[in-house]
Amino acid sequence: MARGNRSQSPRERTEEERERDREERARRRAGLEPEKPAEAIPPPVVPEEPAQAPEPPATEVAPPPIPVEESAEPPPPPIPPPANRDALLEQRRDRLRAGRPSVKRADRRGGGLHVGHGRGSRFRLTRARVGALLALAAAIVVVWFLLSLFQPFAGQGHGRVIVVIPKDSSASTVGSILARDGVVSSGFFFDIRALVEGKRGELHSGRFLLRHEESYAAAIAALSKPPPAAIPVKVVIPEGENRLQIAELAAADGLTGGYAAASVHSPLLDPATYGAPRDTPNLEGFLFPATYEMNAGAPVSRLVAEQLTAFQERFGPEDVRRAHELHVTPYQLLTIASMVEREAQLPGDRPKIAAVIYNRLRLGMPLGIDATIYYAVEQAEGIATDTHELTESELHIDSPYNTRTHRGLPPTPISNPGMASIEAAAHPAHVPYLYYVAGADGCGEQIFSTNYAQFEIDAAAYDAAVKKNGGKPPVCKKR
């Protein structure tokens, strides 16, 4: 309603005024300067005509038009076409759909436009989160570094390890040696810890007895003292180990020198005196397994001498006589004992396996013992122990130790047997067995048979157990 006299009837707005109002509202929503309102121009007064006015006579003159007073104000700017207004409205709708707030007019101090809570705020929030994450990551790295350096939860270590520190070694070199030998987890942190404790220049050289997985503090404390004059060690040689395996044990116990070279020949024992061929390549079979008291740093030749002496003390005239009664040489009896040692897992199977070997030799059958093939692979590849299942190509390896393709005994013993296996070779069981295969239960017992058909059944049962266990030997469930 008009703000003037309320008693007057309201004036009807023209279409042009309504169009101008709509345009003004659209401009305000879009954030544009509102148009300066122009002084309203009163609509022209149109005289009412009578419903049925009689036509004037031809001589009547038409009345003059009513004059309209022109406004002193300039005419309003042209109204933009509807297409522009629709574009402004469409921009508004796009902002609402994208979730963006309305653009607000900047205050007089700032100049230009700003967004209250728009994309810029999200960018600032993202940068704040990234900064917080980087600070957290840096804190985690610092905590990890301190824990690794000071090891608050480190134990006392385990086992024994002989470590030799060369003369004039730097703290960094010492850390590398300790990490290589498994004494500490990191040579770098050992060096840093020695620096923190002020002990980098106080580490001694020499031979030390340490533990595996020691703390940095314990290792630094041990190396800060002069090394002991002698470190007694017990060199334990298990039954059935070959020369390459014993070489690894000797090195781990701190003996010096190359065991493989030292066990080729010795003035203390000549294999030919036991019936071995003159070209016997090494002392395999005569290196008696036992526990030997030695000092760390002792030469491996001393260990070889003690092993040969122990063999001669145990393999005496009675064993030589029994070899001749069995129609083999003492060296061949020792070779049979070495195969028994590698094949038997239970004591009761030793004389039975020896009987199978003697029965096959008497009948001229290939021995077909996989332990000799393992030995051939180990010697060919220069590895101490081969534990995987033999492949088809390895079963056909061209070697005199392949007792599947070569008849008779292998050229040398394949291990260094203990007295139990030597006794089994000297006194085999009186049984007619020609075959044996590992039991399908995986408990170590061998299944013996006298004919190939039964052996095939027993072998198929073992193969099925291996397949059921994912290609690995079956695991005993009785223990």
Side-chain angles (χ1 to χ4, degrees):
M1 298 178 65
R3 296 180 180 271
N5 186 3
R6 296 179 182 268
S7 62
Q8 297 178 359
S9 60
R11 183 176 59 86
E12 183 79 9
R13 291 195 306 163
T14 65
E15 182 61 25
E16 180 179 315
E17 290 176 327
R18 286 196 292 269
E19 184 67 19
R20 186 180 299 109
D21 290 344
R22 284 196 296 269
E23 179 61 24
E24 182 65 25
R25 285 196 296 272
R27 292 177 65 85
R28 288 178 180 175
R29 290 193 192 102
L32 302 177
E33 283 289 341
E35 263 186 351
K36 181 180 293 185
E39 185 174 336
I41 302 175
V45 178
V46 181
E48 294 184 17
E49 295 181 5
Q52 293 181 352
E55 286 187 19
T59 59
E60 188 175 350
V61 180
I66 300 174
V68 179
E69 184 177 355
E70 294 186 358
S71 174
E73 295 291 333
I79 299 174
N84 294 341
R85 182 177 67 256
D86 293 342
L88 293 174
L89 294 175
E90 188 64 28
Q91 290 177 8
R92 172 62 178 170
R93 295 191 193 101
D94 290 343
R95 292 193 190 92
L96 293 176
R97 292 192 196 103
R100 291 178 293 180
S102 299
V103 179
K104 299 181 181 180
R105 186 171 306 281
D107 56 20
R108 297 178 180 177
R109 293 173 298 173
L113 300 177
H114 74 277
V115 180
H117 298 282
R119 186 178 305 173
S121 298
R122 288 200 296 272
F123 287 164
R124 288 193 293 273
L125 182 60
T126 301
R127 288 195 292 270
R129 288 179 179 176
V130 170
L133 291 176
L134 290 177
L136 178 61
I140 292 174
V141 171
V142 170
V143 171
W144 168 81
F145 182 86
L146 294 177
L147 290 176
S148 301
L149 181 62
F150 293 100
Q151 300 176 301
F153 308 109
Q156 299 297 322
H158 59 86
R160 291 159 49 97
V161 55
I162 307 297
V163 177
V164 179
I165 305 299
K167 190 176 180 180
D168 298 328
S169 295
S170 64
S172 176
T173 302
V174 172
S176 299
I177 294 173
L178 296 181
R180 179 199 65 194
D181 294 344
V183 177
V184 298
S185 56
S186 169
F188 169 77
F189 280 108
F190 175 87
D191 188 18
I192 298 298
R193 183 63 182 272
L195 175 64
V196 171
E197 295 190 12
K199 296 292 185 70
R200 297 191 75 200
E202 300 180 13
L203 304 178
H204 291 266
S205 60
R207 184 173 286 104
F208 296 86
L209 177 61
L210 302 174
R211 293 175 177 269
H212 291 287
E213 299 182 1
E214 277 193 347
S215 66
Y216 301 126
I220 292 172
L223 296 176
S224 298
K225 303 173 184 177
I231 302 175
V233 293
K234 291 183 178 181
V235 183
V236 180
I237 310 298
E239 291 86 354
E241 299 289 271
N242 58 42
R243 293 170 55 247
L244 296 179
Q245 292 171 323
I246 298 175
E248 290 184 345
L249 296 174
D253 288 330
L255 303 187
T256 58
Y259 183 89
S263 59
V264 173
H265 301 291
S266 173
L268 299 177
L269 187 146
D270 183 7
T273 60
Y274 293 87
R278 289 293 178 184
D279 59 350
T280 298
N282 52 58
L283 298 172
E284 192 85 89
F286 297 101
L287 305 167
F288 195 77
T291 298
Y292 299 94
E293 299 282 349
M294 308 192 75
N295 288 331
V300 291
S301 58
R302 185 179 302 173
L303 175 61
V304 171
E306 294 194 17
Q307 288 181 284
L308 296 178
T309 300
F311 173 81
Q312 291 171 322
E313 291 174 352
R314 290 165 175 79
F315 195 94
E318 177 62 23
D319 298 297
V320 174
R321 184 184 63 81
R322 279 297 300 162
H324 293 155
E325 291 176 357
L326 293 169
H327 306 289
V328 294
T329 66
Y331 189 69
Q332 291 173 326
L333 188 145
L334 193 61
T335 302
I336 295 172
S338 72
M339 291 187 287
V340 171
E341 191 70 77
R342 293 296 291 267
E343 287 283 287
Q345 298 185 40
L346 301 179
D349 287 342
R350 287 192 177 101
K352 296 177 186 178
I353 293 176
V356 171
I357 294 174
Y358 283 112
N359 292 341
R360 282 177 164 260
L361 288 174
R362 186 177 65 255
L363 296 175
M365 298 175 61
L367 298 181
I369 294 179
D370 287 347
T372 63
I373 303 177
Y374 275 112
Y375 186 80
V377 173
E378 292 165 355
Q379 299 302 305
E381 297 183 1
I383 58 177
T385 306
D386 189 7
T387 58
H388 70 274
E389 290 290 324
L390 292 170
T391 63
E392 191 66 26
S393 61
E394 289 172 340
L395 291 174
H396 294 86
I397 185 173
D398 185 14
S399 169
Y401 290 95
N402 189 341
T403 54
R404 291 194 178 201
T405 57
H406 292 76
R407 297 178 186 272
L409 294 171
T412 69
I414 62 172
S415 70
N416 294 278
M419 283 308 303
S421 293
I422 293 175
E423 286 295 322
H427 302 87
H430 296 285
V431 291
Y433 298 140
L434 293 175
Y435 305 92
Y436 65 87
V437 66
D441 60 1
C443 295
E445 182 180 6
Q446 303 291 333
I447 307 301
F448 295 88
S449 57
T450 57
N451 58 79
Y452 188 73
Q454 183 60 46
F455 168 75
E456 284 284 278
I457 296 174
D458 298 334
Y462 178 78
D463 292 340
V466 171
K467 184 177 180 180
K468 184 178 180 180
N469 197 34
K472 299 179 182 179
V475 180
C476 181
K477 297 181 180 179
K478 297 179 182 179
R479 300 170 185 170

